[in-house]
Amino acid sequence: MELTVYLAGQIHDDWRREIKSKADEKQLPLTFVGPQENHARSDDIGENILGEQPGQVARDDAASSINNFRTRVLLNKADAVIAYFGESYKQWNTAMDAGAAVQAGRPLILIRPESLVHPLKELSNQADVTVETIDQAVEVLSYIYE
Amino acid sequence: MELTVYLAGQIHDDWRREIKSKADEKQLPLTFVGPQENHARSDDIGENILGEQPGQVARDDAASSINNFRTRVLLNKADAVIAYFGESYKQWNTAMDAGAAVQAGRPLILIRPESLVHPLKELSNQADVTVETIDQAVEVLSYIYE
Amino acid sequence: MELTVYLAGQIHDDWRREIKSKADEKQLPLTFVGPQENHARSDDIGENILGEQPGQVARDDAASSINNFRTRVLLNKADAVIAYFGESYKQWNTAMDAGAAVQAGRPLILIRPESLVHPLKELSNQADVTVETIDQAVEVLSYIYE
Amino acid sequence: MELTVYLAGQIHDDWRREIKSKADEKQLPLTFVGPQENHARSDDIGENILGEQPGQVARDDAASSINNFRTRVLLNKADAVIAYFGESYKQWNTAMDAGAAVQAGRPLILIRPESLVHPLKELSNQADVTVETIDQAVEVLSYIYE
Amino acid sequence: MELTVYLAGQIHDDWRREIKSKADEKQLPLTFVGPQENHARSDDIGENILGEQPGQVARDDAASSINNFRTRVLLNKADAVIAYFGESYKQWNTAMDAGAAVQAGRPLILIRPESLVHPLKELSNQADVTVETIDQAVEVLSYIYE
Amino acid sequence: MELTVYLAGQIHDDWRREIKSKADEKQLPLTFVGPQENHARSDDIGENILGEQPGQVARDDAASSINNFRTRVLLNKADAVIAYFGESYKQWNTAMDAGAAVQAGRPLILIRPESLVHPLKELSNQADVTVETIDQAVEVLSYIYE
Amino acid sequence: MELTVYLAGQIHDDWRREIKSKADEKQLPLTFVGPQENHARSDDIGENILGEQPGQVARDDAASSINNFRTRVLLNKADAVIAYFGESYKQWNTAMDAGAAVQAGRPLILIRPESLVHPLKELSNQADVTVETIDQAVEVLSYIYE
Amino acid sequence: MELTVYLAGQIHDDWRREIKSKADEKQLPLTFVGPQENHARSDDIGENILGEQPGQVARDDAASSINNFRTRVLLNKADAVIAYFGESYKQWNTAMDAGAAVQAGRPLILIRPESLVHPLKELSNQADVTVETIDQAVEVLSYIYE
């Protein structure tokens, strides 16, 4: 049974590559999708496609509309969602996507370090599973196929 | 036509009182609901009701389960949601509630300072209306009744 | 049994007043809701609340976000929708609201003049009832209570 | 990941061919669907299948019932919708389909010329992305696969 | 707790009056709704409101569009549905409404005589409760309040 | 694009074979599903699987539970539904399935002879398309692929 | 804000009265609903209304159809659900109702003694809040109104 | 037509193997999914993945979160559900999954021995089909393909 997993979270390091590579090692029949991971491309995509915008607010709105379009198309196709939180960055998109996933009935795995137990307690409680590491998240996905 | 509005956001200052008082001045037939605003009570509610828990993780999970129960009951009754972001605090609950509100088809007003335009650009783009002040949010609610 | 009816359509003349007055004459327990009918206010609402915007596109987007917020809140409360088309104006909002109403399972009455039979044939076919006059639409609403 | 895109809009010129050809150039794994593009066939389909109808209203209703059936089957299969507006024609079907797509949770790209910014402002605000050209719309679709 | 019950079934005799009167005797806080019970009015309603139609098919379609509009508005408000079958009449509307009620998650009571056990076996199996008499149906409604 | 079509209707003659054969001739990529067409098997299936039942009512209920299970599984997979009415038989299952299909958002084609225009007028008005012959229904399906 | 709470659980002792009385003491604006609590009436209701049935299976099926009808009507009206488990009885209805409540998006409080932690661990994990006593459940309900 | 069937029930003996083997014999194009059947693994999975937990309650909650995640992912993919009850074990998960399946619109087959007719009467009444043996359940699945 092939499943699609949406990877919500910051795009500043290559945590998604790590998940994919570990799932590949286990030969899990999973397709991973997620947001644009090239940060500059993600910020510039509005002006890249629509041309120069009148000011920063318009520039950000243009980019976010295209990023959100991508996210909605892919989230609709996902059988499960992983939301990954680290100690850096605001990560409001991650929390917003996690809230949307829960509301849409998509099973959700939360990855967060022990240091974030308290500020993420409500989100953790809404997630189906909370883990601390990428390895643990991959083991949870792998458990579906045991 | 009476409407119910859920006020998502941090509970460290009394921004909700300001919204309610300004809506009262305009005599809008609105009922405002939201999370527990007493921060200590919100953090302690798990142990207050269930007794001492074995460690901080269990304590946080107990509190969050009761806070989430309250939020879900009230969000289900809401005709619209306001999500309020400031420059302090992590505010992941606010983002999570905003994502859930959009997914559940609840019209959403985002209040955020100009300084947060960029990090909140995707959330702003998903909201129905984005404003910068509480006064503006109340004017948007008031506009429903014109 | 009290019902709420959303009145979708242009805001250039006072057709809504005519519906309301005829429903009042029949003493139907109906609440009518709809968009802002003051055209200038509807176009200006973005800048009225949010202040001057950088150019016409931003100005229109600000206004439309607040108009859409109002429409979504009220459409969610409606038990039925009337979409009114005349021979003037583009009326794309009316068609968009009609499509949304059908998709959301809200029973829909279409009012359109005979001259628009052909261009509105698909919309008419999706509506629950198509009539040509306001009097006929009020009679359809009245029939619910016979 | 293969996706299906519904192309809503007028059927008087061959804009759909342009989208398809540009998506082919980029080798995007997209299937495009849409309404009957042969205008005469679209208008005649009722009588073509059901035989002569008693008058123009019945003839139009017969055609539209079959056109709507086709649209509903295909819209149900679509992962995203493009609504294309130009300066000619009434395009009420396009607006109706766009409203239905938004309500049904289908991500929506709006293509419209700058001249239509004002009359399409509410529809643009409801769309996930608004662009001005077919090239831009194809770039948005292509961005899903980056 | 006040509840609304939609009464689906033929409109040739006054079985609805019997249900209402028996529920009144038991002082149940129920509101009963249903289709137009004046058969001539139900058949004529299209032409009564829209004027003479070009032939019997158009006349029937006009009437049914208004009857269906009424049914959909009222079925949306119903907390439960009673479908009543007797030995006369085709009663296809009753079966259609029953199928719609089950699909929409409205609890359904089927009333049918013993003679119709076999032809109504699939519909009976889909209903929540099947009874043979109006008295029994009223007792089932009354049981909600014990 | 492959589509699945559920064929609701009586099982006393081989109208389904005719539809399938005509769709095959046109090489339409359609999968047709429907109820058990062997009438004796359909009536006996309860006792065939569960053993002798205590009386006719229990026997019918056992059969119908298995027939309904099959119908629900297959209707869930269908992209469109055809409901076929003829002049014989009670056909309440057909009407119930048609009502369920409309409520579940499945596009519906009704086939009925001219003699049934009046008694099926509400069902016809709820269907997406109404035709009189199997040939016409196949042409409507074929039109999706033009 | 008035809320309705469905009380799922065994009907062998008067735990519901205890909840109601404690909520009354706190003057909470709650309406409690639930199954028939008179055990004999609950078992006999099928034959009480429908007359003698042919054997125990039919007798049980008749009773359960009427009990389920009542449960579905009331669960549809509930803003929250409490599922109460004790150490006696099979309590499969309680578990079934809890599963249905979670799936239907009704916030759920589970009450269960410490001795049942292990066998109820999956159900507890799906519930919004798990407590051990009736007092604690009432405190959770009361917390909504703080 | 390939279908996926979720097998809910206890994991103490190999009843699932029996279903799979009998479906294989009949060459039915079915994929069976279900919970982790290794009981120790199911109980230990929380600590296996997340490491030692502080006490039995936390240990159980960790395991159940991962078991529930698996169940939700697989139940979302299922076209039908079989719930199997025997005379041993508490089987509350089975009842909870059955309630969820019914609420989610998944057709449900209940397998239960005659000795459990009375305590499972409400669950049986909600199931689409109730049988007593695995052979009968497989025959019901096979009937879909006749």
Side-chain angles (χ1 to χ4, degrees), chain D residues 36 41 45 49-50 65-67 69-70 72-73 76-77, chain F residues 3 79 105 107 109 128-131 136 140 143-144 146:
Chain D
Q36 170 59 252
R41 176 69 167 156
I45 187 63
I49 292 183
L50 297 169
S65 74
I66 297 170
N67 286 322
F69 175 79
R70 173 182 168 135
R72 289 190 65 212
V73 168
N76 281 350
K77 305 296 271 188
Chain F
L3 296 170
D79 298 301
I109 300 172
D128 292 76
V129 184
T130 300
V131 301
Q136 292 169 337
V140 172
Y143 182 69
I144 299 174
E146 286 186 9

PDB file of all heavy atoms in Angstrom, chain D residues 36 41 45 49-50 65-67 69-70 72-73 76-77, chain F residues 3 79 105 107 109 128-131 136 140 143-144 146:
ATOM      1  N   GLN D  36     -16.988  21.106 -22.935  1.00  0.00           N
ATOM      2  CA  GLN D  36     -17.024  20.960 -24.396  1.00  0.00           C
ATOM      3  C   GLN D  36     -16.550  22.287 -25.010  1.00  0.00           C
ATOM      4  O   GLN D  36     -17.121  23.341 -24.714  1.00  0.00           O
ATOM      5  CB  GLN D  36     -18.461  20.674 -24.820  1.00  0.00           C
ATOM      6  CG  GLN D  36     -18.757  20.712 -26.292  1.00  0.00           C
ATOM      7  CD  GLN D  36     -17.935  19.717 -27.088  1.00  0.00           C
ATOM      8  OE1 GLN D  36     -17.007  20.123 -27.821  1.00  0.00           O
ATOM      9  NE2 GLN D  36     -18.226  18.442 -26.921  1.00  0.00           N
ATOM     10  N   ARG D  41     -21.540  22.591 -30.761  1.00  0.00           N
ATOM     11  CA  ARG D  41     -21.858  21.303 -30.123  1.00  0.00           C
ATOM     12  C   ARG D  41     -22.382  21.532 -28.702  1.00  0.00           C
ATOM     13  O   ARG D  41     -23.335  20.881 -28.274  1.00  0.00           O
ATOM     14  CB  ARG D  41     -20.580  20.437 -30.103  1.00  0.00           C
ATOM     15  CG  ARG D  41     -20.694  19.103 -29.406  1.00  0.00           C
ATOM     16  CD  ARG D  41     -21.572  18.116 -30.140  1.00  0.00           C
ATOM     17  NE  ARG D  41     -21.411  16.775 -29.603  1.00  0.00           N
ATOM     18  CZ  ARG D  41     -22.325  15.817 -29.701  1.00  0.00           C
ATOM     19  NH1 ARG D  41     -23.445  16.017 -30.367  1.00  0.00           N
ATOM     20  NH2 ARG D  41     -22.104  14.625 -29.178  1.00  0.00           N
ATOM     21  N   ILE D  45     -26.106  20.280 -27.857  1.00  0.00           N
ATOM     22  CA  ILE D  45     -26.001  18.925 -27.315  1.00  0.00           C
ATOM     23  C   ILE D  45     -27.330  18.411 -26.781  1.00  0.00           C
ATOM     24  O   ILE D  45     -27.646  17.214 -26.893  1.00  0.00           O
ATOM     25  CB  ILE D  45     -24.889  18.844 -26.234  1.00  0.00           C
ATOM     26  CG1 ILE D  45     -24.673  17.396 -25.797  1.00  0.00           C
ATOM     27  CG2 ILE D  45     -25.195  19.720 -25.041  1.00  0.00           C
ATOM     28  CD1 ILE D  45     -24.180  16.495 -26.895  1.00  0.00           C
ATOM     29  N   ILE D  49     -28.889  14.986 -28.524  1.00  0.00           N
ATOM     30  CA  ILE D  49     -29.135  13.718 -27.826  1.00  0.00           C
ATOM     31  C   ILE D  49     -30.614  13.465 -27.600  1.00  0.00           C
ATOM     32  O   ILE D  49     -31.113  12.359 -27.812  1.00  0.00           O
ATOM     33  CB  ILE D  49     -28.373  13.700 -26.466  1.00  0.00           C
ATOM     34  CG1 ILE D  49     -26.859  13.657 -26.708  1.00  0.00           C
ATOM     35  CG2 ILE D  49     -28.816  12.496 -25.632  1.00  0.00           C
ATOM     36  CD1 ILE D  49     -26.010  13.568 -25.452  1.00  0.00           C
ATOM     37  N   LEU D  50     -31.353  14.495 -27.191  1.00  0.00           N
ATOM     38  CA  LEU D  50     -32.740  14.291 -26.762  1.00  0.00           C
ATOM     39  C   LEU D  50     -33.757  14.564 -27.861  1.00  0.00           C
ATOM     40  O   LEU D  50     -34.949  14.319 -27.679  1.00  0.00           O
ATOM     41  CB  LEU D  50     -33.041  15.185 -25.559  1.00  0.00           C
ATOM     42  CG  LEU D  50     -32.191  14.874 -24.324  1.00  0.00           C
ATOM     43  CD1 LEU D  50     -32.344  15.964 -23.278  1.00  0.00           C
ATOM     44  CD2 LEU D  50     -32.594  13.531 -23.730  1.00  0.00           C
ATOM     45  N   SER D  65     -28.190  20.941 -19.069  1.00  0.00           N
ATOM     46  CA  SER D  65     -28.192  19.805 -18.138  1.00  0.00           C
ATOM     47  C   SER D  65     -27.053  18.842 -18.479  1.00  0.00           C
ATOM     48  O   SER D  65     -26.398  18.295 -17.590  1.00  0.00           O
ATOM     49  CB  SER D  65     -29.543  19.077 -18.162  1.00  0.00           C
ATOM     50  OG  SER D  65     -29.704  18.314 -19.334  1.00  0.00           O
ATOM     51  N   ILE D  66     -26.794  18.671 -19.769  1.00  0.00           N
ATOM     52  CA  ILE D  66     -25.731  17.742 -20.181  1.00  0.00           C
ATOM     53  C   ILE D  66     -24.361  18.386 -19.991  1.00  0.00           C
ATOM     54  O   ILE D  66     -23.410  17.729 -19.563  1.00  0.00           O
ATOM     55  CB  ILE D  66     -25.989  17.277 -21.635  1.00  0.00           C
ATOM     56  CG1 ILE D  66     -27.317  16.509 -21.681  1.00  0.00           C
ATOM     57  CG2 ILE D  66     -24.837  16.417 -22.142  1.00  0.00           C
ATOM     58  CD1 ILE D  66     -27.812  16.203 -23.068  1.00  0.00           C
ATOM     59  N   ASN D  67     -24.262  19.671 -20.265  1.00  0.00           N
ATOM     60  CA  ASN D  67     -22.997  20.362 -19.998  1.00  0.00           C
ATOM     61  C   ASN D  67     -22.664  20.360 -18.505  1.00  0.00           C
ATOM     62  O   ASN D  67     -21.514  20.133 -18.114  1.00  0.00           O
ATOM     63  CB  ASN D  67     -23.071  21.809 -20.511  1.00  0.00           C
ATOM     64  CG  ASN D  67     -22.984  21.866 -22.024  1.00  0.00           C
ATOM     65  OD1 ASN D  67     -22.243  21.107 -22.653  1.00  0.00           O
ATOM     66  ND2 ASN D  67     -23.769  22.753 -22.635  1.00  0.00           N
ATOM     67  N   PHE D  69     -23.689  18.172 -16.262  1.00  0.00           N
ATOM     68  CA  PHE D  69     -23.332  16.801 -15.871  1.00  0.00           C
ATOM     69  C   PHE D  69     -21.850  16.548 -16.138  1.00  0.00           C
ATOM     70  O   PHE D  69     -21.114  16.061 -15.280  1.00  0.00           O
ATOM     71  CB  PHE D  69     -24.193  15.807 -16.668  1.00  0.00           C
ATOM     72  CG  PHE D  69     -23.821  14.364 -16.435  1.00  0.00           C
ATOM     73  CD1 PHE D  69     -24.246  13.699 -15.304  1.00  0.00           C
ATOM     74  CD2 PHE D  69     -23.030  13.676 -17.353  1.00  0.00           C
ATOM     75  CE1 PHE D  69     -23.906  12.364 -15.081  1.00  0.00           C
ATOM     76  CE2 PHE D  69     -22.679  12.350 -17.144  1.00  0.00           C
ATOM     77  CZ  PHE D  69     -23.116  11.695 -16.009  1.00  0.00           C
ATOM     78  N   ARG D  70     -21.423  16.904 -17.353  1.00  0.00           N
ATOM     79  CA  ARG D  70     -20.007  16.747 -17.698  1.00  0.00           C
ATOM     80  C   ARG D  70     -19.101  17.529 -16.729  1.00  0.00           C
ATOM     81  O   ARG D  70     -18.105  17.001 -16.229  1.00  0.00           O
ATOM     82  CB  ARG D  70     -19.786  17.241 -19.135  1.00  0.00           C
ATOM     83  CG  ARG D  70     -18.342  17.277 -19.558  1.00  0.00           C
ATOM     84  CD  ARG D  70     -18.201  17.817 -20.988  1.00  0.00           C
ATOM     85  NE  ARG D  70     -16.819  18.109 -21.282  1.00  0.00           N
ATOM     86  CZ  ARG D  70     -16.190  17.773 -22.409  1.00  0.00           C
ATOM     87  NH1 ARG D  70     -16.850  17.138 -23.351  1.00  0.00           N
ATOM     88  NH2 ARG D  70     -14.927  18.072 -22.598  1.00  0.00           N
ATOM     89  N   ARG D  72     -19.666  18.543 -13.670  1.00  0.00           N
ATOM     90  CA  ARG D  72     -19.637  18.014 -12.298  1.00  0.00           C
ATOM     91  C   ARG D  72     -18.785  16.751 -12.201  1.00  0.00           C
ATOM     92  O   ARG D  72     -18.013  16.582 -11.244  1.00  0.00           O
ATOM     93  CB  ARG D  72     -21.047  17.701 -11.800  1.00  0.00           C
ATOM     94  CG  ARG D  72     -21.847  18.971 -11.536  1.00  0.00           C
ATOM     95  CD  ARG D  72     -23.142  18.649 -10.811  1.00  0.00           C
ATOM     96  NE  ARG D  72     -22.868  18.115  -9.493  1.00  0.00           N
ATOM     97  CZ  ARG D  72     -23.628  17.216  -8.861  1.00  0.00           C
ATOM     98  NH1 ARG D  72     -24.713  16.757  -9.458  1.00  0.00           N
ATOM     99  NH2 ARG D  72     -23.317  16.791  -7.659  1.00  0.00           N
ATOM    100  N   VAL D  73     -18.913  15.864 -13.187  1.00  0.00           N
ATOM    101  CA  VAL D  73     -18.090  14.643 -13.173  1.00  0.00           C
ATOM    102  C   VAL D  73     -16.610  15.016 -13.183  1.00  0.00           C
ATOM    103  O   VAL D  73     -15.813  14.479 -12.398  1.00  0.00           O
ATOM    104  CB  VAL D  73     -18.441  13.741 -14.384  1.00  0.00           C
ATOM    105  CG1 VAL D  73     -17.409  12.625 -14.536  1.00  0.00           C
ATOM    106  CG2 VAL D  73     -19.833  13.155 -14.236  1.00  0.00           C
ATOM    107  N   ASN D  76     -15.237  16.953 -10.012  1.00  0.00           N
ATOM    108  CA  ASN D  76     -15.024  16.018  -8.896  1.00  0.00           C
ATOM    109  C   ASN D  76     -13.661  15.342  -8.976  1.00  0.00           C
ATOM    110  O   ASN D  76     -13.107  14.943  -7.948  1.00  0.00           O
ATOM    111  CB  ASN D  76     -16.109  14.933  -8.892  1.00  0.00           C
ATOM    112  CG  ASN D  76     -17.420  15.416  -8.306  1.00  0.00           C
ATOM    113  OD1 ASN D  76     -17.482  16.499  -7.730  1.00  0.00           O
ATOM    114  ND2 ASN D  76     -18.469  14.630  -8.459  1.00  0.00           N
ATOM    115  N   LYS D  77     -13.139  15.161 -10.179  1.00  0.00           N
ATOM    116  CA  LYS D  77     -11.857  14.475 -10.358  1.00  0.00           C
ATOM    117  C   LYS D  77     -10.663  15.427 -10.292  1.00  0.00           C
ATOM    118  O   LYS D  77      -9.518  14.969 -10.305  1.00  0.00           O
ATOM    119  CB  LYS D  77     -11.813  13.768 -11.722  1.00  0.00           C
ATOM    120  CG  LYS D  77     -12.944  12.805 -11.997  1.00  0.00           C
ATOM    121  CD  LYS D  77     -12.944  11.650 -11.055  1.00  0.00           C
ATOM    122  CE  LYS D  77     -12.107  10.475 -11.513  1.00  0.00           C
ATOM    123  NZ  LYS D  77     -12.294   9.299 -10.636  1.00  0.00           N
TER     124      LYS D  77
ATOM    125  N   LEU F   3     -13.648   6.139 -15.600  1.00  0.00           N
ATOM    126  CA  LEU F   3     -14.720   6.483 -14.670  1.00  0.00           C
ATOM    127  C   LEU F   3     -15.531   5.231 -14.345  1.00  0.00           C
ATOM    128  O   LEU F   3     -15.616   4.309 -15.156  1.00  0.00           O
ATOM    129  CB  LEU F   3     -15.634   7.540 -15.294  1.00  0.00           C
ATOM    130  CG  LEU F   3     -14.987   8.895 -15.593  1.00  0.00           C
ATOM    131  CD1 LEU F   3     -15.923   9.759 -16.435  1.00  0.00           C
ATOM    132  CD2 LEU F   3     -14.633   9.619 -14.303  1.00  0.00           C
ATOM    133  N   ASP F  79     -18.293   7.349  -9.916  1.00  0.00           N
ATOM    134  CA  ASP F  79     -18.148   8.749 -10.331  1.00  0.00           C
ATOM    135  C   ASP F  79     -19.463   9.322 -10.854  1.00  0.00           C
ATOM    136  O   ASP F  79     -19.629  10.542 -10.930  1.00  0.00           O
ATOM    137  CB  ASP F  79     -17.094   8.852 -11.432  1.00  0.00           C
ATOM    138  CG  ASP F  79     -15.744   8.389 -10.946  1.00  0.00           C
ATOM    139  OD1 ASP F  79     -15.236   8.980  -9.978  1.00  0.00           O
ATOM    140  OD2 ASP F  79     -15.198   7.416 -11.502  1.00  0.00           O
ATOM    141  N   GLY F 105     -23.642  13.817  -3.785  1.00  0.00           N
ATOM    142  CA  GLY F 105     -22.893  14.581  -4.775  1.00  0.00           C
ATOM    143  C   GLY F 105     -22.455  13.778  -5.982  1.00  0.00           C
ATOM    144  O   GLY F 105     -21.536  14.180  -6.693  1.00  0.00           O
ATOM    145  N   PRO F 107     -23.073  12.815  -9.694  1.00  0.00           N
ATOM    146  CA  PRO F 107     -23.891  13.231 -10.839  1.00  0.00           C
ATOM    147  C   PRO F 107     -24.794  12.079 -11.307  1.00  0.00           C
ATOM    148  O   PRO F 107     -24.355  10.935 -11.382  1.00  0.00           O
ATOM    149  CB  PRO F 107     -22.844  13.596 -11.897  1.00  0.00           C
ATOM    150  CG  PRO F 107     -21.621  13.975 -11.100  1.00  0.00           C
ATOM    151  CD  PRO F 107     -21.640  13.052  -9.915  1.00  0.00           C
ATOM    152  N   ILE F 109     -27.836  10.496 -13.969  1.00  0.00           N
ATOM    153  CA  ILE F 109     -28.645  10.454 -15.189  1.00  0.00           C
ATOM    154  C   ILE F 109     -29.883   9.626 -14.896  1.00  0.00           C
ATOM    155  O   ILE F 109     -29.776   8.499 -14.413  1.00  0.00           O
ATOM    156  CB  ILE F 109     -27.867   9.800 -16.356  1.00  0.00           C
ATOM    157  CG1 ILE F 109     -26.590  10.596 -16.670  1.00  0.00           C
ATOM    158  CG2 ILE F 109     -28.760   9.675 -17.588  1.00  0.00           C
ATOM    159  CD1 ILE F 109     -25.676   9.886 -17.686  1.00  0.00           C
ATOM    160  N   ASP F 128     -29.271  15.245 -12.700  1.00  0.00           N
ATOM    161  CA  ASP F 128     -28.531  16.188 -13.540  1.00  0.00           C
ATOM    162  C   ASP F 128     -29.051  16.168 -14.963  1.00  0.00           C
ATOM    163  O   ASP F 128     -29.159  17.216 -15.599  1.00  0.00           O
ATOM    164  CB  ASP F 128     -27.047  15.828 -13.513  1.00  0.00           C
ATOM    165  CG  ASP F 128     -26.440  16.075 -12.157  1.00  0.00           C
ATOM    166  OD1 ASP F 128     -26.683  15.254 -11.243  1.00  0.00           O
ATOM    167  OD2 ASP F 128     -25.739  17.087 -11.992  1.00  0.00           O
ATOM    168  N   VAL F 129     -29.344  14.992 -15.476  1.00  0.00           N
ATOM    169  CA  VAL F 129     -29.829  14.843 -16.848  1.00  0.00           C
ATOM    170  C   VAL F 129     -30.961  13.827 -16.846  1.00  0.00           C
ATOM    171  O   VAL F 129     -30.854  12.801 -16.167  1.00  0.00           O
ATOM    172  CB  VAL F 129     -28.725  14.317 -17.789  1.00  0.00           C
ATOM    173  CG1 VAL F 129     -29.236  14.265 -19.235  1.00  0.00           C
ATOM    174  CG2 VAL F 129     -27.467  15.166 -17.709  1.00  0.00           C
ATOM    175  N   THR F 130     -32.023  14.091 -17.597  1.00  0.00           N
ATOM    176  CA  THR F 130     -33.081  13.099 -17.786  1.00  0.00           C
ATOM    177  C   THR F 130     -33.175  12.732 -19.260  1.00  0.00           C
ATOM    178  O   THR F 130     -33.246  13.625 -20.109  1.00  0.00           O
ATOM    179  CB  THR F 130     -34.442  13.642 -17.308  1.00  0.00           C
ATOM    180  OG1 THR F 130     -34.345  13.949 -15.922  1.00  0.00           O
ATOM    181  CG2 THR F 130     -35.541  12.612 -17.520  1.00  0.00           C
ATOM    182  N   VAL F 131     -33.164  11.435 -19.548  1.00  0.00           N
ATOM    183  CA  VAL F 131     -33.293  10.964 -20.924  1.00  0.00           C
ATOM    184  C   VAL F 131     -34.372   9.893 -20.971  1.00  0.00           C
ATOM    185  O   VAL F 131     -34.876   9.463 -19.938  1.00  0.00           O
ATOM    186  CB  VAL F 131     -31.945  10.395 -21.446  1.00  0.00           C
ATOM    187  CG1 VAL F 131     -30.847  11.460 -21.391  1.00  0.00           C
ATOM    188  CG2 VAL F 131     -31.531   9.163 -20.657  1.00  0.00           C
ATOM    189  N   GLN F 136     -29.561   7.238 -25.387  1.00  0.00           N
ATOM    190  CA  GLN F 136     -29.311   8.633 -24.996  1.00  0.00           C
ATOM    191  C   GLN F 136     -28.402   8.709 -23.764  1.00  0.00           C
ATOM    192  O   GLN F 136     -27.518   9.559 -23.684  1.00  0.00           O
ATOM    193  CB  GLN F 136     -30.641   9.342 -24.714  1.00  0.00           C
ATOM    194  CG  GLN F 136     -31.488   9.530 -25.982  1.00  0.00           C
ATOM    195  CD  GLN F 136     -32.906   9.989 -25.681  1.00  0.00           C
ATOM    196  OE1 GLN F 136     -33.425   9.792 -24.582  1.00  0.00           O
ATOM    197  NE2 GLN F 136     -33.542  10.602 -26.674  1.00  0.00           N
ATOM    198  N   VAL F 140     -24.769  10.590 -23.413  1.00  0.00           N
ATOM    199  CA  VAL F 140     -24.391  11.563 -22.377  1.00  0.00           C
ATOM    200  C   VAL F 140     -23.048  11.171 -21.766  1.00  0.00           C
ATOM    201  O   VAL F 140     -22.157  12.012 -21.572  1.00  0.00           O
ATOM    202  CB  VAL F 140     -25.487  11.666 -21.292  1.00  0.00           C
ATOM    203  CG1 VAL F 140     -25.010  12.534 -20.126  1.00  0.00           C
ATOM    204  CG2 VAL F 140     -26.772  12.242 -21.879  1.00  0.00           C
ATOM    205  N   TYR F 143     -20.288  11.945 -24.120  1.00  0.00           N
ATOM    206  CA  TYR F 143     -20.027  13.394 -24.256  1.00  0.00           C
ATOM    207  C   TYR F 143     -18.930  13.856 -23.289  1.00  0.00           C
ATOM    208  O   TYR F 143     -18.220  14.824 -23.562  1.00  0.00           O
ATOM    209  CB  TYR F 143     -21.334  14.141 -23.992  1.00  0.00           C
ATOM    210  CG  TYR F 143     -21.283  15.640 -24.134  1.00  0.00           C
ATOM    211  CD1 TYR F 143     -21.109  16.242 -25.380  1.00  0.00           C
ATOM    212  CD2 TYR F 143     -21.446  16.466 -23.027  1.00  0.00           C
ATOM    213  CE1 TYR F 143     -21.091  17.623 -25.504  1.00  0.00           C
ATOM    214  CE2 TYR F 143     -21.434  17.847 -23.145  1.00  0.00           C
ATOM    215  CZ  TYR F 143     -21.260  18.428 -24.391  1.00  0.00           C
ATOM    216  OH  TYR F 143     -21.249  19.788 -24.516  1.00  0.00           O
ATOM    217  N   ILE F 144     -18.782  13.172 -22.156  1.00  0.00           N
ATOM    218  CA  ILE F 144     -17.703  13.532 -21.216  1.00  0.00           C
ATOM    219  C   ILE F 144     -16.340  13.453 -21.902  1.00  0.00           C
ATOM    220  O   ILE F 144     -15.431  14.208 -21.576  1.00  0.00           O
ATOM    221  CB  ILE F 144     -17.704  12.571 -19.996  1.00  0.00           C
ATOM    222  CG1 ILE F 144     -19.023  12.655 -19.241  1.00  0.00           C
ATOM    223  CG2 ILE F 144     -16.533  12.863 -19.063  1.00  0.00           C
ATOM    224  CD1 ILE F 144     -19.140  11.634 -18.106  1.00  0.00           C
ATOM    225  N   GLU F 146     -15.653  13.818 -25.212  1.00  0.00           N
ATOM    226  CA  GLU F 146     -15.458  14.544 -26.487  1.00  0.00           C
ATOM    227  C   GLU F 146     -14.409  15.647 -26.322  1.00  0.00           C
ATOM    228  O   GLU F 146     -14.473  16.412 -25.370  1.00  0.00           O
ATOM    229  CB  GLU F 146     -16.790  15.163 -26.927  1.00  0.00           C
ATOM    230  CG  GLU F 146     -17.751  14.119 -27.450  1.00  0.00           C
ATOM    231  CD  GLU F 146     -19.005  14.747 -28.026  1.00  0.00           C
ATOM    232  OE1 GLU F 146     -19.064  15.970 -28.167  1.00  0.00           O
ATOM    233  OE2 GLU F 146     -19.941  13.971 -28.346  1.00  0.00           O
TER     234      GLU F 146
END
